[in-house]
Amino acid sequence: MSWSARSGVALGCRARPIVDMSYSRHFLDFQGSAIPSAMKKLVVTRLSPNFREAVALRRGVPVPLPGDGDLLVRNRFVGINASDINYSAGRYDASVKPPFDIGFEGVGDVVALGLSASADYTVGQAVAYVKAGSFAEYTVVPAKQAVPLPSVKPEFLTLMVSGATAYISLKELGELSEGQKVLVTAAAGGTGQFAVQLAKKAKCHVIGTCSSDEKGGFLKSIGCDRAINYKTESIESVLRKDYPEGVDVVYESVGGKMFDLAVNSLATKGRLIVIGFITGYQNPTGLSPIKAEVLPAKLLKKSASIRGFFLNHYFSEYKMALKHLLKMYEKGELVCEVDLGDMSPEGKFTGLESVFRAVDYMYMGKNIGKIVVELPHSVNSKL
């Protein structure tokens, strides 16, 4: 057969369109196994702050395809955040109706990508990202939102939301200066650990609250000057006795009675940064009651202020903050404590099924550092 016959232009046949197969080489698993056609993911099926009631594990879901500017990331580690139950309760966007994806952040490998995205990324590259839908085996991430990493490690995940929240809020709202007193509530948690360390780097005196002696020991190991185990000591008594002039900054994520106590503990011109109020999230309203009626008088009396911080409003600062945090970690200047659930009743958090346990573990207040779930993949997995 002649070349022209083989190419389909002879014998009156219509010319076959040329298919550009260069894209297909991107769509390969870098370890040699095919990307499966189906996967597992968590989906919010009804709105509720009760994570187990709100969320279902779906199997046999088609693996999404990346668009021109996208990466397909095989998630290896996903982060648990207190606000996961705010998201499952529909508190972030009232217009979004179930079913919808959940999970704020992930770390994994690029296994496929679009043509434009291939200008900056390659298959096999380690990346982290902050984007709704990380509680899945595979997630499509716009290349512009991805953060390239030297390797896939859970420690990098601690910086994405928890580290960045502490870094940006203290920098923009804390007005830290040498010798100031900084109180960090839930100090041994995912974001508290960074607030402690960053305040110490600003040469402040740091007080941290926690719920066990083990957590207190961890706080001392990362430089906290005074750890208060509220199960064995009264925070109010310690602050009144040891810090009669008050504290200059409070990094507050607990809410309710702790918030009231923090307001009362502010020094003249003190700043209270609200990054959350975890004690309220499980309530139907998402709020924990505070003594709001006396708040204006208390702030006026001290020329004090309360400042709210929501990471989504500070994305202009995000890349710079993350770059600085990554550099600090790589130089050994920052502890990124990860809790993979080894000490939890049923052991390590492995697989999407264990996200439910991991959320429970957070609300039992058991974690030291950032709670992370590992999603293992065997090289030739066919899901």
Side-chain angles (χ1 to χ4, degrees):
M1 187 187 279
S2 69
W3 177 87
S4 60
R6 278 202 311 271
S7 63
V9 292
L11 309 173
C13 295
R14 219 172 47 231
R16 267 200 324 234
I18 294 169
V19 178
D20 179 5
M21 293 300 288
S22 63
Y23 172 75
S24 67
R25 72 189 170 85
H26 294 301
F27 205 78
L28 291 171
D29 184 303
F30 77 101
Q31 288 185 312
S33 62
I35 296 168
S37 58
M39 66 171 189
K40 292 186 280 191
K41 72 173 181 177
L42 297 189
V43 176
V44 176
T45 56
R46 53 168 289 214
L47 299 181
S48 171
N50 181 322
F51 195 83
R52 288 180 181 273
E53 285 180 7
V55 179
L57 176 66
R58 292 264 168 93
R59 301 169 194 273
V61 178
V63 172
L65 293 174
D68 180 58
D70 297 333
L71 311 173
L72 180 65
V73 177
R74 182 174 63 187
N75 294 315
R76 295 268 298 281
F77 297 99
V78 294
I80 303 296
N81 291 281
S83 275
D84 287 330
I85 72 170
N86 286 332
Y87 201 76
S88 71
R91 290 172 184 151
Y92 277 13
D93 185 350
S95 67
V96 179
K97 303 292 178 228
F100 56 83
D101 297 345
I102 189 165
F104 291 130
E105 54 186 343
V107 164
D109 314 291
V110 175
V111 291
L113 68 172
L115 205 55
S116 296
S118 68
D120 298 306
Y121 289 92
T122 57
V123 167
Q125 194 160 356
V127 294
Y129 64 90
V130 176
K131 177 185 179 281
S134 70
F135 291 163
E137 290 177 315
Y138 293 83
T139 303
V140 168
V141 179
K144 286 178 180 169
Q145 288 179 28
V147 177
L149 297 174
S151 61
V152 173
K153 285 170 73 175
E155 285 78 8
F156 292 122
L157 193 54
T158 67
L159 302 174
M160 299 302 293
V161 172
S162 301
T165 294
Y167 184 97
I168 300 170
S169 65
L170 288 173
K171 182 172 178 284
E172 297 293 318
L173 308 176
E175 299 172 24
L176 300 183
S177 60
E178 188 173 346
Q180 289 194 325
K181 297 173 185 69
V182 178
L183 172 65
V184 180
T185 64
T191 190
Q193 64 172 328
F194 294 109
V196 168
Q197 294 177 81
L198 294 168
K200 281 306 294 177
K201 288 189 186 309
K203 299 189 165 86
C204 295
H205 177 95
V206 181
I207 308 129
T209 71
C210 63
S211 59
S212 72
D213 289 339
E214 190 190 356
K215 291 184 180 187
F218 166 68
L219 290 177
K220 283 172 188 161
S221 78
I222 59 171
C224 187
D225 297 288
R226 176 67 161 96
I228 308 172
N229 174 359
Y230 63 80
K231 296 277 178 76
T232 57
E233 291 185 280
S234 158
I235 300 172
E236 192 174 3
S237 301
V238 171
L239 291 176
R240 198 183 297 127
K241 178 174 167 286
D242 297 349
Y243 306 94
E245 300 294 307
V247 295
D248 301 291
V249 177
V250 184
Y251 185 82
E252 218 297 89
S253 60
V254 176
K257 288 176 181 173
M258 183 66 83
F259 173 88
D260 290 331
L261 198 157
V263 170
N264 293 340
S265 303
L266 286 172
T268 301
K269 296 185 182 176
R271 285 87 62 202
L272 195 165
I273 304 170
V274 177
I275 62 121
F277 30 92
I278 191 170
T279 52
Y281 296 165
Q282 291 170 303
N283 299 338
T285 60
L287 301 169
S288 43
I290 58 164
K291 293 175 180 167
E293 66 278 2
V294 290
L295 201 50
K298 286 183 176 178
L299 296 178
L300 178 64
K301 191 177 171 187
K302 295 177 174 178
S303 293
S305 60
I306 297 173
R307 306 173 181 192
F309 178 86
F310 187 47
L311 186 59
N312 292 16
H313 298 148
Y314 286 86
F315 277 142
S316 58
E317 314 289 323
Y318 185 76
K319 289 265 177 171
M320 176 278 299
L322 209 55
K323 195 174 171 184
H324 195 184
L325 288 165
L326 283 165
K327 197 179 286 180
M328 286 166 73
Y329 172 66
E330 285 169 351
K331 283 172 153 179
E333 296 170 2
L334 199 63
V335 173
C336 297
E337 189 69 16
V338 171
D339 193 331
L340 284 159
D342 295 300
M343 305 305 290
S344 71
E346 293 171 58
K348 191 174 177 182
F349 303 131
T350 305
L352 286 172
E353 298 85 350
S354 69
V355 168
F356 299 94
R357 280 201 300 121
V359 171
D360 290 344
Y361 186 68
M362 167 169 277
Y363 277 89
M364 288 189 287
K366 299 293 187 189
N367 58 299
I368 295 181
K370 172 87 179 181
I371 302 177
V372 173
V373 174
E374 184 172 6
L375 306 185
H377 289 262
S378 61
V379 172
N380 294 304
S381 68
K382 297 287 183 288
L383 302 179

